[in-house]
């Protein structure tokens, strides 16, 4: 049996995000259920598991920039306290991918 080496392409996530179009709604499809849980959370994994960097820690609280959400659903399962409420955006809003 012959061994085959496959080289994966180098993918720049920021360049890929540039090809994505977002139509933001006025109301967020993401919310924090209990802000006190976020204050007590030591690791704050929401700051690093979101590929679109939607979650930020500012002024002793979590802020959500829902307009840039990729709708991947990672935050639905990534918060160890199940403290993030994720819903699909209303019809006609959300992310639209240029290439698929």
């Amino acid at each position: 049996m012959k061994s085959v080496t496959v080289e994966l392409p180098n993918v720049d996530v920021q360049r890929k995000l540039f090809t994505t179009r977002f139509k933001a709604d006025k109301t967020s499809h993401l919310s924090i259920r209990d802000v006190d849980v976020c204050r007590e959370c030591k690791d704050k994994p929401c700051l690093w598991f979101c590929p679109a960097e939607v979650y930020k820690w500012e002024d002793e609280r979590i802020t959500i920039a829902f307009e840039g959400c990729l709708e991947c659903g990672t935050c639905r399962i990534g918060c160890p306290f199940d403290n993030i409420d994720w819903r699909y955006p209303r019809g006609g809003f959300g992310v639209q991918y240029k290439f698929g």
Side-chain angles (χ1 to χ4, degrees), residues 47-77:
L47 301 180
W48 49 266
F49 62 53
C50 177
E53 299 178 358
V54 168
Y55 301 93
K56 302 277 186 212
W57 184 253
E58 298 175 342
D59 300 324
E60 297 300 315
R61 66 185 180 101
I62 293 290
T63 60
I64 304 171
F66 70 93
E67 301 88 353
C69 177
L70 300 174
E71 299 168 27
C72 66
T74 303
C75 57
R76 288 192 293 185
I77 59 171

Side-chain angles (χ1 to χ4, degrees), residues 20-46:
T20 305
R21 194 177 84 162
F22 304 91
K23 185 175 180 192
D25 197 351
K26 292 178 183 174
T27 56
S28 177
H29 64 287
L30 303 169
S31 63
I32 301 297
R33 292 185 175 129
D34 184 353
V35 294
D36 291 329
V37 171
C38 294
R39 285 188 188 103
E40 298 298 320
C41 180
K42 295 195 185 328
D43 296 330
K44 299 191 182 7
C46 59

Side-chain angles (χ1 to χ4, degrees), residues 7-19:
E7 187 173 318
L8 297 175
N10 186 10
V11 178
D12 181 4
V13 174
Q14 296 301 323
R15 292 184 79 193
K16 291 288 185 188
L17 288 175
F18 186 70
T19 64

